[in-house]
Each structure stands twice: as structure tokens, then as C-alpha cells.
Amino acid sequence: SGHAAAGTSTSRTGPLTPRQQTLRSQLELPLLNTYPIPPNATADESEEERKKKLLILYQEFALDLHTGMYLTQLTSNRDYSDIHCQLMEDMVTLKLDQSNGRIIEFPLTNVSKVYRIVKNDDRWYTAGTSPPPNAHMNTEQIVVVEFMRRKLAFVFKELQVSQRFLICMELLIRRAQQKQALRSLTPTFPPQQTQGRQCPTPRQVHDAAMTGRPPPSAGK
């Protein structure tokens, strides 16, 4: 059933292709005041070690999602449906194939929030609260991705898989939103420049987003 397949991907078993290596090298953590703790972190690790683990988790998830993964969706009438989920080449647009010939694209820049809830025997609990004892057999982890006019609810049986999905999806969303904000601050047509000067490189613009400092002036 879809439950068994939830969170699985048509995954990379061999070495990364050159395209995947390029995509991975472009995936840096977005700028956050505090970073989530990855599920595989241990209590004695430093913040820097946890951040390294988070980056690897995030890059692997993004590449899995770019390849495409099968998930279970909880529909608005509480049915379960298998869905193929893929991150488009721009690493910003989520494409959902509902296996009925209908393909929908969702820009991650339009997500208003992402959160996890727990479903047990048709009862709902906020993440962090405990369902009744002996209830784990019927417990499902639901990750909700909320857009302005629509919610997508993905079902997971395993807590750690749902945490990975939630954390990494949040990082992808923040990255997309920060890139959009940077584009809105960068003029389409830079000020007139004398011959021989160059515009800031994409790398300089990217670094400016991470540091909050403007890119170096052209020609300097």
C-alpha cells in the first residue's frame, strides 16, 4: 500500500551524476537564527557538527526529491492516495502527480507554514503530545504543507522519516523564499556601467543573501 511506500524514492544507488553534483554544490543551508536539530544528531555534538549533519541530510533529501519520491497523501475527504512528488529543476517548484493524469505544480515560495500532527484511531494530537498507551500501532505522522488556498497532508508511519521530511522541506521553503526576496531587491537592469566593468557574479549575489551584505561593487 501507499503507507509502505511513504517517503521512499526512486533513489540514488550509485555515484552522483555530474548534474546531481552541481545541484548539491548549490544547496547551502538558508540563513536562520537557529537551525533545527537533525534526527541523527547526538547530545554530545557541537552546534557546528550538528549543522554539518543537517546540511548532508538536507542535500540528500533535496536530491531524492529532485529524483522523485512516492508519498501517501491524506485528502480533504480523509482518503489515502498515492502521489508522486518531485522537485523541479529550479529547486523551487514542487510537482505532484496524483496518478490520475492530473499534475499540479506548487511554488515553495507560496507556502505559509509547515507543521507535523499525529493521527491515532481518527483522533488528532499536536506533535510533542503523547497518544494513549499501546496506541503506537495505529499512529500516523502527518506533515502538513500549507499554501494560501490549499493544504497538502503527507502521511508517514515512522517518526524519523516524518521529521526528515518536515525539517528538509522547511529548509527548502526558506531557501526559496530568501532567493525570491533577494531577486526583488536586485534591480533587473543594473546602473549604467562604463565599458569593461562587470556585474556582480551569481556567486557574489548568493553570498550577499547568506551574509546580508551587498555584493561587491562592479569593477572593484
Side-chain angles (χ1 to χ4, degrees):
S1 80
H3 288 179
T8 60
S9 62
T10 47
S11 196
R12 314 176 312 282
T13 51
L16 296 180
T17 65
R19 178 62 189 147
Q20 287 174 326
Q21 288 174 353
T22 301
L23 288 171
R24 187 176 66 177
S25 69
Q26 293 170 349
L27 282 166
E28 296 179 29
L29 293 172
L31 196 62
L32 302 175
N33 289 328
T34 56
Y35 287 88
I37 298 171
N40 59 342
T42 57
D44 59 345
E45 287 176 333
S46 68
E47 189 178 342
E48 201 56 41
E49 287 170 323
R50 287 179 178 181
K51 207 168 164 184
K52 280 179 187 172
K53 277 190 174 178
L54 182 64
L55 177 61
I56 292 168
L57 185 80
Y58 167 58
Q59 289 174 335
E60 287 179 350
F61 174 84
L63 288 182
D64 278 347
L65 194 54
H66 179 261
T67 302
M69 61 175 67
Y70 289 94
L71 298 166
T72 300
Q73 183 185 10
L74 185 63
T75 63
S76 53
N77 55 1
R78 303 206 172 178
D79 287 335
Y80 294 91
S81 69
D82 290 337
I83 191 165
H84 188 259
C85 200
Q86 189 168 17
L87 192 61
M88 301 288 281
E89 199 68 19
D90 60 6
M91 305 301 272
V92 167
T93 308
L94 201 60
K95 182 174 78 173
L96 302 182
D97 184 346
Q98 297 179 307
S99 307
N100 57 3
R102 195 165 174 224
I103 295 175
I104 310 172
E105 293 183 2
F106 291 97
L108 295 181
T109 47
N110 289 355
V111 175
S112 55
K113 59 182 172 179
V114 189
Y115 53 93
R116 182 171 61 87
I117 50 179
V118 180
K119 179 174 180 275
N120 179 260
D121 287 333
D122 283 329
R123 293 187 178 181
W124 300 84
Y125 303 86
T126 56
T129 58
S130 299
N134 305 319
H136 63 278
M137 292 299 292
N138 299 317
T139 297
E140 293 170 331
Q141 308 291 329
I142 316 287
V143 175
V144 181
V145 182
E146 202 169 291
F147 296 83
M148 282 196 279
R149 294 187 181 86
R150 177 156 183 180
K151 294 179 183 179
L152 298 174
F154 298 103
V155 183
F156 301 91
K157 274 295 188 187
E158 295 175 39
L159 174 61
Q160 195 159 340
V161 177
S162 72
Q163 287 174 328
R164 175 182 184 253
F165 186 88
L166 175 66
I167 288 170
C168 296
M169 187 60 74
E170 281 185 317
L171 291 171
L172 281 170
I173 290 161
R174 291 297 293 270
R175 174 185 180 272
Q177 291 173 344
Q178 286 180 10
K179 281 190 168 296
Q180 184 187 53
L182 182 66
R183 277 197 300 272
S184 69
L185 292 172
T186 306
T188 309
F189 300 100
Q192 270 196 324
Q193 296 165 1
T194 58
Q195 203 169 9
R197 289 190 176 183
Q198 294 182 337
C199 299
T201 66
R203 179 74 197 176
Q204 288 167 338
V205 172
H206 176 265
D207 288 345
M210 298 300 294
T211 61
R213 292 193 295 270
S217 302
K220 292 185 182 174

